[in-house]
Amino acid sequence: MTTLDSVTGARRSGAVLATRPRPSRPSTLTASLAFTRRALLKIRRTPVQIFDIAVHPVVFTLMFTYLFGGAVGGSTGAYVGYLVPGILVMTLLVTTGTTGAALSIDLASGAFDRYRTLSIRPAAPLIGAMLSDTVRYVLASAVVVGLGLALGFRPHGNVLGVVAAVLLVVTFSVSLSWVWTTLALLMKSPGAALGVTQALLYPLSLFSNIFVDPATLPGWLQAFVDVNPVTHLVTAARELMAGGTPGLQLAWILIACTVLTAVFAPLSVRLLRTS
């Protein structure tokens, strides 16, 4: 009798649910914003992301300004104006490395297996992650510029020049994040994904014009620095903060952003569907 009542109750519940309209599928924007909120809430549980935003730029700026500023730039006051745009680029590039690691952690924990059961676009979790990363990049930029101003940095481009430089570096960082997303989907190991990204980003950052004028380097090293994409990004950021117009440098960076996003964003979505 009890079994019969349970079956009857289940049928009645099914009939009631069948008469209700099916919930509409959330838009890609709505789902992406939900995943953005989730990623931002995770920051307080992931100390390494706080380190990238707040500690990393402070340590590098203070260290190079006061340890090497006099030797490289003649004085700390003169060197800080050269250093801040470079530290801005280095900080955001290194911060992009945690994008792939965070995605790998979600993949390993089975979070994306649950996402596949939801009535959402496959790209929504990735777009949400990118939007949260953009927030992190902006916060990191504020830390770098704020510290630079406290140390005596006075950009001739004023507010507009600084904002333009930050927007350029943030745009490039978001585009580069799609590369690390693809790498994370291929490797599926948080440690491996973070290790590869750091192994690539730190040499590109150190062997560039972030800290020293390439003209002072040996010829073989100067040749590498001149073709390093980080060098072009730093030069464009310095020009904008100085109130100039980068011209060709700016064009190359925008083309690179377009190509990276056009290639690796669809590839990431495809890999997520098939993984």
Side-chain angles (χ1 to χ4, degrees):
M1 188 67 176
T2 303
T3 302
L4 181 61
D5 290 342
S6 299
V7 172
T8 303
R11 289 177 177 176
R12 289 176 179 174
S13 299
V16 171
L17 292 174
T19 58
R20 294 182 178 179
R22 185 175 182 177
S24 60
R25 186 178 189 178
S27 65
T28 303
L29 177 60
T30 301
S32 299
L33 291 177
F35 284 106
T36 300
R37 182 176 181 275
R38 173 184 178 272
L40 291 175
L41 290 175
K42 285 175 59 180
I43 292 180
R44 62 185 180 185
R45 303 188 185 96
T46 312
V48 67
Q49 297 188 38
I50 302 299
F51 179 86
D52 288 339
I53 293 174
V55 179
H56 179 276
V58 173
V59 170
F60 270 85
T61 303
L62 294 178
M63 180 177 67
F64 278 90
T65 298
Y66 290 106
L67 289 181
F68 305 108
V72 177
S75 67
T76 56
Y79 185 61
V80 73
Y82 182 87
L83 180 66
V84 168
I87 289 292
L88 172 66
V89 172
M90 183 177 183
T91 298
L92 266 61
L93 292 185
V94 172
T95 304
T96 63
T98 59
T99 298
L103 177 59
S104 296
I105 292 173
D106 281 343
L107 289 170
S109 65
F112 276 88
D113 293 331
R114 296 192 294 271
Y115 297 160
R116 292 188 181 94
T117 66
L118 302 177
S119 180
I120 58 174
R121 299 287 183 185
L126 298 182
I127 296 175
M130 289 301 164
L131 292 175
S132 69
D133 284 340
T134 301
V135 175
R136 292 196 301 123
Y137 300 154
V138 172
L139 292 176
S141 300
V143 171
V144 173
V145 174
L147 179 60
L149 293 174
L151 294 177
F153 175 52
R154 296 297 181 266
H156 296 293
N158 298 320
V159 176
L160 290 179
V162 173
V163 171
V166 169
L167 287 177
L168 180 64
V169 181
V170 168
T171 300
F172 183 83
S173 299
V174 172
S175 304
L176 188 62
S177 294
W178 284 113
V179 179
W180 309 138
T181 298
T182 301
L183 182 65
L185 289 167
L186 290 172
M187 303 190 72
K188 300 180 181 179
S189 169
L194 185 60
V196 171
T197 56
Q198 300 304 313
L200 292 174
L201 287 173
Y202 273 106
L204 287 175
S205 299
L206 294 175
F207 295 107
S208 68
N209 63 342
I210 290 179
F211 302 109
V212 297
D213 186 348
T216 63
L217 301 175
W220 62 270
L221 183 55
Q222 184 178 346
F224 174 80
V225 170
D226 289 340
V227 299
N228 187 347
V230 175
T231 298
H232 298 296
L233 182 59
V234 173
T235 301
R238 284 197 178 111
E239 286 283 340
L240 289 170
M241 288 190 178
T245 304
L248 185 59
Q249 300 281 0
L250 180 61
W252 277 114
I253 296 302
L254 294 178
I255 292 173
C257 292
T258 302
V259 171
L260 289 176
T261 304
V263 172
F264 289 98
L267 182 58
S268 297
V269 175
R270 182 174 181 178
L271 288 172
L272 182 61
R273 285 175 175 172
T274 58
S275 61

